[in-house]
Amino acid sequence: MQYDPFQLAALEAVLRLGSFDAAARELSVTPSAVSQRIKALEDRAGAALVIRATPCTATPAGARLAR
């Protein structure tokens, strides 16, 4: 299965930086855009990928995809 590189970049940034806001700043997009990219990626993967807490962390499916 092929994934959108912008969605994967958003996932990587959220998991590395721990928040949607920090990922948005790094990617030069809005936090809403990051959220939409993660949601679209989760819809495509069929599973939650990010635990939305402080800091954001990967679910098991998110960790597999991030690798």
Side-chain angles (χ1 to χ4, degrees):
M1 180 179 289
Q2 292 208 8
Y3 293 99
D4 182 289
F6 294 107
Q7 294 171 355
L8 291 173
L11 176 64
E12 186 276 331
V14 167
L15 296 180
R16 182 171 42 82
L17 299 170
S19 77
F20 283 65
D21 289 336
R25 282 190 300 274
E26 181 170 287
L27 298 171
S28 299
V29 297
T30 64
S32 177
V34 171
S35 181
Q36 290 172 21
R37 289 175 186 183
I38 298 296
K39 177 65 176 141
L41 191 58
E42 289 176 328
D43 289 345
R44 181 150 174 94
L49 302 174
V50 176
I51 298 170
R52 289 154 173 84
T54 304
C56 292
T57 57
T59 64
R64 281 192 305 277
L65 188 57
R67 279 187 243 143

